[in-house]
Structures are given as C-alpha cells and as structure tokens.
Amino acid sequence: MLLTIDVGNTNLTIGLFEGTKLGARWRLATDHERMPDEYGLQMLGLLQHGGCSPAQLDGICIASVVPPLTPRILQACRNYLSDDILVIDETVETGIKILYEDPRAVGADRIADAVAVCALYGGPACVVDFGTATTFDAITAEGEYLGGAIAPGIGIAAEALFMRTAKLPRVDIQAPPSVIGRNTVHAIQSGLVFGYVALVEGMVERFRRELGPDMKVIATGGLAEVVASHTDVIHHLAPWLTLEGLRILWERNRPRHE
C-alpha cells in the first residue's frame, strides 16, 4: 500500500492507495507548531483507522509547498511509518515536459496535478485548484505543463475582509440563498462564492482562447465543490487529484528510488 501526503499551507491532504485504488483519505489542518512526534502519532492513528499497519506500507510519497514543515513531516514518517519516502522536487521523473521559465519554481502540488490530468484526462486542459491560493494550470494538447495563473484563495479573501474591516463578520464559505444578499452575511457569501464563480468562468474562457476549444476543465482542492456546483464550465470534479498525481509519480520513480 502507498501513503500519499500533500502538505499545503492550510491543509495536509492524506490518502492511502491499494494499487491504483484510493481508499481512506483525510484532510488535516496544517499546524506549524506541531512537533514531529505529534504528526507521527496522528498519522499512525489515521493509518490504523484506515485498516493498515506501517508494515503493510510499500512507501510514502510527499508533495510539500511548506518548506519549514517538510523536515518535520519527513521525520514523523520515518519514526512512525516508513523510511521508504519519495519527496517530489525538480529531480523526479514526471513524464511530462515543464515549459515554465524556471521549472524549479513550480509547486510540487501543481506538478502532481498536471501529471494526474495528463494520465487521467489528457490535454489540452485547465486545472483549477481551490486551495490556500486559487491556481489555474495549463496543460497543452501534447501533455506539456505550460504555466498558469495564481489568485488569492477564497479562504484568504474571506479572512482579509474580516481582519481589515471594522464591521464585517467572519462567515462560513457557502452559497447564500440568492446573489443579491439581503443581510451582511449573505452579501459577503455572495461576493465570495459567486465572485469566485465569475473569476473561474472568466479565467477559463481566457485559457480556452490560448489552449483551444477542446480544453477540458478539472477542478480540485478543498473548496472545489462549493464553486463547481454553481457553474457549468467545469467538466470534471476531482477533489483528490493531487493524491492521484503522487501515486503516478511514485510509480514512475520507484525503480530509481529503490
């Protein structure tokens, strides 16, 4: 069995694969104060809850965009789970050509997303990842990672409104009853949810002009479903896409890794 871990600024997304099938999966809050032993014990508990012991693991594949936290996660995995670990960086064999001006600047999660999309859907494609940031990644018809766009995530926008204004409250990120809010909470929710729907629709249209009319749109990330349910421009909802990409990257690099 393979354990996949996506270390993000807001969440740790963890999935357990048996072959190509994703079984148990979890989202945890990213905590910069947590020590390796705390992470290790928590992941060990999740693994056991998923019906797997460390002895059953073939290995662990990790993508991290939080450099200060990466060593802690690695230590936690080695001490409690397995020392057969692959960390995604610029040295791994991705199977796709990265056309970014500096390939080392592309986040490991964006690489994993692109690898998964090429394998599962094919190009041309636009991947919209609703994480701490809302990212748009472009995959060409030839399966090349072209580049993309990065915008503040919905959660960041919501928190900024709360922190930088005197009277606007913190709200749950969900769609209000109508676009025109009749109270402050609904007005904020409308701006966040339907505003980001409009952002996605506009960016998808602009990406399509460059990638071609056959472009597929794949949405992933913790808040993907909130936006995807209010637009028809998203063709595939794949909330665990990054984990699928990590599985594929493990398979492509395992012979060299061993």
Side-chain angles (χ1 to χ4, degrees):
M1 302 184 82
L2 173 68
L3 188 69
T4 54
I5 305 173
D6 175 24
V7 183
N9 289 286
T10 303
N11 295 120
L12 267 69
T13 308
I14 303 172
L16 186 61
F17 283 90
E18 184 169 5
T20 60
K21 182 179 179 181
L22 178 59
R25 57 268 199 187
W26 307 273
R27 291 192 195 275
L28 310 177
T30 300
D31 186 347
H32 291 264
E33 303 302 320
R34 190 171 294 170
M35 301 303 292
D37 286 332
E38 294 176 286
Y39 273 116
L41 288 169
Q42 186 174 32
M43 289 191 288
L44 179 61
L46 291 174
L47 194 67
Q48 292 171 339
H49 184 266
C52 179
S53 69
Q56 293 175 278
L57 287 178
D58 297 314
I60 303 170
C61 190
I62 300 174
S64 175
V65 295
V66 192
L69 198 54
T70 305
R72 298 190 200 180
I73 299 298
L74 283 171
Q75 184 179 340
C77 290
R78 291 192 179 107
N79 291 350
Y80 289 88
L81 303 178
S82 172
D83 58 4
D84 194 359
I85 302 170
L86 174 66
V87 179
I88 303 306
D89 58 22
E90 67 276 4
T91 68
V92 304
E93 175 56 50
T94 63
I96 63 173
K97 188 174 183 179
I98 299 175
L99 301 180
Y100 219 55
E101 291 181 358
D102 181 3
R104 295 171 299 179
V106 184
D109 54 344
R110 300 176 78 184
I111 292 174
D113 286 349
V115 166
V117 165
C118 288
L120 300 175
Y121 306 104
C126 173
V127 187
V128 189
D129 192 339
F130 296 92
T132 306
T134 298
T135 61
F136 300 82
D137 291 309
I139 314 299
T140 69
E142 294 73 30
E144 303 160 322
Y145 178 86
L146 185 60
I150 304 173
I154 302 176
I156 287 178
E159 193 65 16
L161 278 176
F162 172 71
M163 295 296 295
R164 299 296 295 271
T165 60
K167 297 182 67 175
L168 297 183
R170 182 181 280 121
V171 302
D172 293 330
I173 300 176
Q174 61 185 34
S178 64
V179 175
I180 301 174
R182 299 293 297 277
N183 57 58
T184 302
V185 169
H186 287 171
I188 295 173
Q189 289 174 331
S190 176
L192 291 172
V193 175
F194 298 126
Y196 270 81
V197 167
L199 168 68
V200 169
E201 291 174 342
M203 289 297 287
V204 163
E205 176 57 31
R206 290 175 180 270
F207 270 54
R208 181 169 282 112
R209 293 175 196 169
E210 297 192 28
L211 292 176
D214 296 330
M215 184 188 80
K216 310 171 190 71
V217 182
I218 299 95
T220 189
L223 292 171
E225 191 170 356
V226 174
V227 174
S229 60
H230 296 284
T231 180
D232 58 4
V233 301
I234 293 172
H235 301 125
H236 303 282
L237 182 62
W240 310 101
L241 185 70
T242 308
L243 301 185
E244 292 285 356
L246 292 179
R247 173 188 62 79
I248 296 168
L249 287 166
W250 170 268
E251 293 172 354
R252 289 180 179 171
N253 288 269
R254 189 175 184 187
R256 186 180 65 172
H257 182 56
E258 292 176 335

